[in-house]
Amino acid sequence: KNQVEQSPQSLIILEGKNCTLQCNYTVSPFSNLRWYKQDTGRGPVSLTIMTFSENTKSNGRYTATLDADTKQSSLHITASQLSDSASYICVVITSGYALNFGKGTSLLVTP
Amino acid sequence: NAGVMQNPRHLVRRRGQEARLRCSPMKGHSHVYWYRQLPEEGLKFMVYLQKENIIDESGMPKERFSAEFPKEGPSILRIQQVVRGDSAAYFCASSPVSGGASEQFFGPGTRLTVL
């Protein structure tokens, strides 16, 4: 059974601080891994896309890493802002269109 | 270029009624995917459609649920005789092509509440 596990389930940090979210997966075969940001009441929006051969990918203050050997990924958020408060979802694509979603990490950035 | 549009954004139905959810993909996208998100759960794939064709409906319950993507007009997800367990957020996504490298763009979702 394909599984995507994320940790922590929820996280509260102060504005300006950094944080790292984790994603472990057992999905096989692996095509690519994506991190999405989902604001409350909205659909997911893609932050980064990484293929098997990529170790790291940045998008502004977001940096994703991938270790395909250990099947782990992380999303690092630098200098957090209040607008970063959202759910961050790790999605692993096996082949074709099959998206395997984690449950997400709920991040709250406080003033 | 407008994003993926879904309507209604919120839908309330009583048990036994029908729910009809609409999705207009991004311009130029002919691939549509429906997902369901139960409270405290991740999104789960339901069905994948191309214009006028259902490609994969393996994630959709065999009873009461149906989907279509006609040649003209939006994609429709229909739930007949709704039950309380159908209460969830239903997201539609679209892509210009299929395949792992093709990003899916999500709509804002329809939140269905069954009383």
Side-chain angles (χ1 to χ4, degrees):
Chain A
K1 179 181 178 181
N2 290 334
Q3 284 194 334
V4 180
E5 301 289 339
Q6 291 188 243
S7 62
Q9 185 175 358
S10 60
L11 183 62
I12 302 174
I13 61 173
L14 290 174
E15 185 180 11
K17 297 295 185 182
N18 304 336
C19 67
T20 300
L21 314 180
Q22 301 290 343
C23 174
N24 297 334
Y25 62 93
T26 58
V27 170
S28 180
F30 175 87
S31 173
N32 59 77
L33 184 146
R34 306 174 184 183
W35 283 92
Y36 282 84
K37 178 185 179 186
Q38 185 176 18
D39 291 309
T40 301
R42 295 186 176 272
V45 176
S46 179
L47 294 174
T48 63
I49 301 175
M50 287 187 293
T51 61
F52 181 88
S53 60
E54 295 177 297
N55 300 119
T56 185
K57 182 73 72 78
S58 290
N59 178 3
R61 294 181 297 101
Y62 301 104
T63 299
T65 64
L66 173 63
D67 186 335
D69 292 330
T70 61
K71 297 188 176 181
Q72 296 180 326
S73 176
S74 66
L75 180 68
H76 186 74
I77 304 175
T78 304
S80 60
Q81 300 175 357
L82 298 179
S83 60
D84 291 333
S85 296
S87 179
Y88 291 84
I89 306 171
C90 175
V91 182
V92 181
I93 294 88
T94 52
S95 58
Y97 53 86
L99 303 187
N100 298 274
F101 290 81
K103 291 184 179 182
T105 291
S106 179
L107 174 66
L108 177 63
V109 181
T110 63
Chain B
N1 186 9
V4 178
M5 310 286 284
Q6 289 189 249
N7 68 83
R9 294 292 309 275
H10 300 274
L11 183 61
V12 179
R13 285 287 179 266
R14 296 190 182 280
R15 282 179 295 170
Q17 291 184 318
E18 177 180 288
R20 190 172 291 217
L21 289 61
R22 297 175 185 78
C23 168
S24 296
M26 287 180 70
K27 186 176 181 180
H29 290 193
S30 58
H31 301 258
V32 167
Y33 316 81
W34 284 94
Y35 297 87
R36 178 165 65 176
Q37 186 175 32
L38 295 169
E40 309 300 323
E41 295 291 324
L43 278 76
K44 294 287 196 296
F45 167 80
M46 297 182 72
V47 61
Y48 161 39
L49 310 102
Q50 253 184 297
K51 277 291 187 180
E52 300 185 271
N53 292 303
I54 296 176
I55 308 300
D56 181 352
E57 55 183 351
S58 60
M60 198 156 66
K62 295 199 173 4
E63 305 288 331
R64 304 186 297 108
F65 285 72
S66 63
E68 63 178 12
F69 189 16
K71 185 177 181 181
E72 301 291 337
S75 174
I76 306 287
L77 178 68
R78 181 194 296 177
I79 311 172
Q80 296 177 301
Q81 299 173 1
V82 296
V83 300
R84 289 221 173 101
D86 297 332
S87 294
Y90 292 82
F91 291 95
C92 166
S94 73
S95 66
V97 295
S98 184
S102 180
E103 182 175 352
Q104 295 180 21
F105 295 84
F106 286 82
T110 293
R111 275 144 191 86
L112 173 65
T113 301
V114 180
L115 302 178

